[in-house]
Amino acid sequence: MTTLFWHARLARPLTLLASALALTASTLAHAETPRAGGTLTAVIQPEPVILTSALNSAAPTGFFSANVFDGLVEYDNDFKLRPALAERWDISKDSKTLTFHLRPNVKWHDGKPFTSADVKWTLENVWKTLHPRNQTLFGKVTQVDTPDALTVVLRFSEPSLAVLSSLNSNGAQVLPKHLYENTDILNNPYNNKPVGTGPFVFKEWSKGNYIVLERNPNYWDKGKPYLDKIVFKVIPDASARAAALEKGEVQYAPFSPVPLKDAQRLAQLPTLKLETRGYQWLSPWLFMDINVERPYFKDVRVRQALSHAINQDALNKVVWFGFGKPAVSPVVSTLGQFFNPDVPRYPYDPAKAEALLDAAGLKRGADGSRLKIQIDYLPYGDDYKRSAEYVKQALKRVGIDVNVRTQDTPTYTRRVYGDRDFDLAVVWFAGFADPLVGVTRAYRADTVGKNIPWSNGSGYRGEEANRLIDQAQGSPSQAERVALFRKFQTVVQTDVPSIPLLELQFFTLQSASLRDTVSGVDQVYASLKRAWFAPTQTTASR
């Protein structure tokens, strides 16, 4: 393997808690030998709308589908690349050619061989055309060569330094060409009965209830997975999820699955443990999109006023119980080299918010109201609803009446990213290890209104911001990319098409007897092929 500068800046410091947990996990790994067998019941919430991350980057889909599909690479706990479907890779001196040498004798779950043709077809027909993040990442790929069944050569018109930051199963999921070619890709039936190469094989989806996977007996990583079966259970109510964990009916629940006030209590039970590792690759941030196409939001002073009206510290403490920190920009602070702490800021100042609204011509009426609008929130749990309700109360104080609107996930995504029938929308995105992977999709003008979930919801079409994104995408210099992304943050925080609210800290609750659930910084979007159950008696005292 030659130059790996395409991932050289992935590493980020872990929290002290995560470091302590990693040490504990390491000690256990040396002391215990994995045992085969058992059924793992995991919470998946909300229920996915589709079962392949190649076509939908939503969190529930990513959590599920990494167990069915492998990536070309995996990431370890230090952000280093390790082989998966690709055994090795080479980068040319001019950084414009990336060659993958694929693992031999890998089979799709239907028995067909996995080859370079699958990678080429997926890149050309899915990553470059349909995936909300990869359209940018792989946009500079001008040619894909497959000199043989186990070699894929990507040729770029310009260097794309972020590519190796997103080649795991979630970032660049490969679909079976023989099941998708010459079909309506978005409506292909295999989207919901997926055929992958991964450690678990799809068996059943009972809509509204559960999804069942079974062990792949022919998996290329010999001896894995250890589990016989995974049942992904849909439990919409947060209190019911907490009860299921406490009773042992569920053994694994990611993405902060219970009311945050209950998290510490459950973590103290001898049968459960709280895990914060496995989310580092995500760099998640909570923000509020402002529909800049609405007449009353075209004036930047109004958007700035909204920012001044929201107390981020209080939002973190009251709604998120401290499982976050106030966000400065859409690039989270743990992305050290890319993060710009010197962007325009809008500290909590209701009086300034009112002055800006007055200056923009939105005067209070006789009833004290300046404006009546709707706010939609990501229907992923009570925390997002409560965030929307918090914003409602904050804006009420400056004379803006807000109605909180509830809907299911398909309706929410169509409303925001397709029909654009909204005023404000609360959502979280994963920023990932490079801004080009996760952040810039929220600002690129070419995705507006195309019904591509988790893209540019605000409708922002900032010429300078988009120019900076394009320059950063094609720059051969990491130092130049850093400078461009820092300037990009200044531009978007000046224009304020969306308001960064919090940098989120997700956690997982799991059975104390469940071992090796975290093997990489992207674990929540990686497979559970290394997970196993220790005998109950060995874990009772933890």
Side-chain angles (χ1 to χ4, degrees), residues 187-262:
N187 293 299
N188 188 301
Y190 288 100
N191 293 338
N192 291 331
K193 51 177 184 178
V195 173
T197 61
F200 294 93
V201 179
F202 172 80
K203 288 299 178 183
E204 180 187 5
W205 184 5
S206 173
K207 296 285 184 71
N209 299 306
Y210 56 80
I211 311 170
V212 178
L213 298 180
E214 293 183 357
R215 183 180 188 274
N216 178 4
N218 303 309
Y219 190 48
W220 56 264
D221 195 351
K222 300 301 181 185
K224 299 184 184 70
Y226 299 117
L227 297 169
D228 291 330
K229 184 186 294 186
I230 303 178
V231 178
F232 295 87
K233 196 170 182 179
V234 179
I235 307 178
D237 181 71
S239 297
R241 293 195 290 272
L245 283 159
E246 193 164 359
K247 294 175 182 176
E249 298 169 351
V250 166
Q251 299 87 41
Y252 189 75
F255 287 111
S256 305
V258 301
L260 298 176
K261 62 182 179 181
D262 292 339

Side-chain angles (χ1 to χ4, degrees), residues 102-108 112-114 150 218-220 222:
L102 304 180
R103 187 178 300 277
N105 303 316
V106 175
K107 304 287 186 182
W108 293 101
K112 300 292 185 182
F114 164 77
L150 297 178
N218 303 309
Y219 190 48
W220 56 264
K222 300 301 181 185

Side-chain angles (χ1 to χ4, degrees), residues 297-348:
F297 291 146
K298 288 183 181 294
D299 192 323
V300 70
R301 292 171 296 183
V302 177
R303 306 196 296 270
Q304 292 171 344
L306 298 183
S307 297
H308 282 299
I310 299 171
N311 186 331
Q312 293 170 283
D313 283 309
L315 174 67
N316 184 40
K317 293 173 184 176
V318 174
V319 176
W320 290 87
F321 290 84
F323 282 94
K325 60 182 288 189
V328 172
S329 95
V331 176
V332 302
S333 59
T334 50
L335 280 177
Q337 62 166 343
F338 293 112
F339 172 66
N340 184 357
D342 300 320
V343 298
R345 300 197 187 195
Y346 306 93
Y348 178 58

Side-chain angles (χ1 to χ4, degrees), residues 476-494:
S477 164
Q478 185 73 348
E480 182 181 54
R481 295 179 74 246
V482 167
L484 289 167
F485 279 127
R486 284 177 167 244
K487 186 174 181 181
F488 161 82
Q489 291 166 74
T490 297
V491 171
V492 298
Q493 285 303 101
T494 299

Side-chain angles (χ1 to χ4, degrees), residues 106-186:
V106 175
K107 304 287 186 182
W108 293 101
H109 293 159
D110 62 3
K112 300 292 185 182
F114 164 77
T115 73
S116 57
D118 296 303
V119 180
K120 174 182 170 69
W121 182 88
T122 305
L123 187 152
E124 293 176 342
N125 295 277
V126 179
W127 299 350
K128 289 189 67 172
T129 60
L130 299 173
H131 194 279
R133 300 194 304 268
N134 287 344
Q135 291 182 59
T136 298
L137 272 181
F138 293 94
K140 301 298 183 181
V141 175
T142 56
Q143 185 175 333
V144 183
D145 297 328
T146 53
D148 58 57
L150 297 178
T151 306
V152 184
V153 183
L154 276 56
R155 304 191 187 279
F156 295 81
S157 60
E158 299 175 344
S160 188
L161 305 191
V163 165
L164 285 186
S165 299
S166 193
L167 283 173
N168 59 0
S169 177
N170 181 266
Q173 197 166 90
V174 183
L175 295 178
K177 177 184 176 182
H178 66 281
L179 297 178
Y180 278 85
E181 188 176 29
N182 299 320
T183 71
D184 179 353
I185 297 171
L186 292 176

